[in-house]
């Protein structure tokens, strides 16, 4: 049986939010080739997926499943980013990345509910939400500076800038995955 180590979990969520802040502008470039109807289909599938996940709350709202699902979500993001770096950017690339992100969004409500239940105290939740917001703000600030720096060095094409940012995103994602492992420990049943 797993339990959460709150200090490590808060560090993980800080880095997770830093990643989110860094990647906010990326999706506008990555999704550009997709038709608007794809977003409608994606939205429907997202809502259906969230409904299905909610039906399993009685079974998965615990530390064991929070660990597994957190790891799954971060692993999917890592694979999507590596795919983007490895293959030429086409419509298919955009679609696969969109599908990857949509799969992770299916677990969004679950992850928030699980961390709220498992951390349990208002003091820890205050620290968690503060860390998440600070990580998000820092991530957006770093992404702004990153785009300005690469522009300064002559990289003005948006797709090329997003491609270069992905090396930083992959590094942060690996740190996030390491922090997930540090955030949980086995406990006596």
């Amino acid at each position: 049986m797993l339990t959460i180590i709150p200090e490590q979990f808060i560090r993980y969520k800080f880095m997770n939010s830093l990643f989110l802040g860094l990647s906010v502008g990326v999706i506008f470039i990555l999704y550009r080739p997709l038709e608007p109807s794809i977003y409608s289909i994606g939205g429907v599938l997202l809502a259906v997926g969230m409904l299905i996940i909610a039906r399993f709350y009685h079974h998965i709202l615990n530390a064991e499943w929070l660990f597994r699902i957190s790891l799954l979500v971060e692993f999917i993001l890592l694979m999507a980013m590596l795919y983007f770096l490895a293959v030429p950017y086409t419509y298919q690339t955009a679609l696969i990345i969109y599908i990857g992100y949509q799969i992770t969004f299916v677990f969004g409500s679950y992850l928030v509910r699980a961390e709220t239940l498992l951390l349990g105290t208002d003091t820890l939740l205050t620290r968690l939400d503060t860390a998440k917001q600070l990580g998000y703000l820092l991530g957006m600030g770093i992404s702004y500076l990153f785009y300005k720096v690469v522009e300064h060095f002559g990289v003005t094409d948006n797709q090329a800038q997003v491609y270069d940012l992905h090396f930083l995103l992959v590094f942060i994602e690996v740190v996030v995955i390491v922090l997930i492992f540090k955030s949980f420990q086995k406990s006596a049943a």
Side-chain angles (χ1 to χ4, degrees):
M1 182 174 190
L2 290 179
T3 57
I4 289 182
I5 305 169
E7 295 300 322
Q8 295 293 336
F9 189 78
I10 289 169
R11 286 187 189 111
Y12 149 57
K13 295 307 283 191
F14 172 82
M15 289 303 290
N16 180 265
S17 295
L18 179 88
F19 174 88
L20 180 63
L22 265 168
S23 65
V24 163
V26 165
I27 58 172
F28 298 109
I29 302 302
L30 293 179
Y31 294 172
R32 189 181 311 157
L34 301 177
E35 308 95 25
S37 62
I38 293 293
Y39 302 115
S40 299
I41 293 169
V44 168
L45 295 175
L46 175 65
V48 170
M50 292 176 92
L51 283 170
I52 292 169
I53 296 296
R55 302 296 299 166
F56 289 96
Y57 275 2
H58 66 282
H59 183 67
I60 61 174
L61 279 175
N62 56 57
E64 188 83 31
W65 279 99
L66 178 59
F67 171 76
R68 292 177 184 169
I69 291 172
S70 297
L71 201 54
L72 172 70
V73 164
E74 302 303 340
F75 187 73
I76 289 170
L77 289 175
L78 180 61
M79 290 299 105
M81 289 184 290
L82 292 175
Y83 181 76
F84 174 70
L85 289 174
V87 301
Y89 186 61
T90 63
Y91 180 87
Q92 181 183 349
T93 310
L95 187 60
I96 288 173
I97 292 169
Y98 177 71
I99 290 169
Y101 272 89
Q102 287 299 99
I103 291 171
T104 66
F105 295 156
V106 164
F107 297 102
S109 291
Y110 162 78
L111 293 172
V112 171
R113 301 230 185 286
E115 67 190 29
T116 300
L117 285 173
L118 294 172
L119 287 179
T121 69
D122 55 355
T123 303
L124 284 175
L125 291 173
T126 297
R127 291 182 52 211
L128 175 70
D129 284 353
T130 301
K132 287 165 71 173
Q133 287 306 313
L134 290 174
Y136 187 66
L137 286 169
L138 184 60
M140 287 191 297
I142 291 171
S143 77
Y144 175 80
L145 291 175
F146 179 88
Y147 292 124
K148 292 300 176 189
V149 167
V150 294
E151 270 180 33
H152 177 75
F153 287 103
V155 182
T156 55
D157 176 66
N158 291 344
Q159 188 178 329
Q161 291 176 345
V162 165
Y163 185 86
D164 291 345
L165 182 64
H166 269 69
F167 290 100
L168 179 59
L169 289 171
V170 166
F171 172 75
I172 291 173
E173 189 59 35
V174 171
V175 171
V176 165
I177 290 171
V178 169
L179 289 174
I180 290 174
F181 282 102
K182 290 184 163 194
S183 298
F184 295 86
Q185 69 181 7
K186 287 191 184 273
S187 63

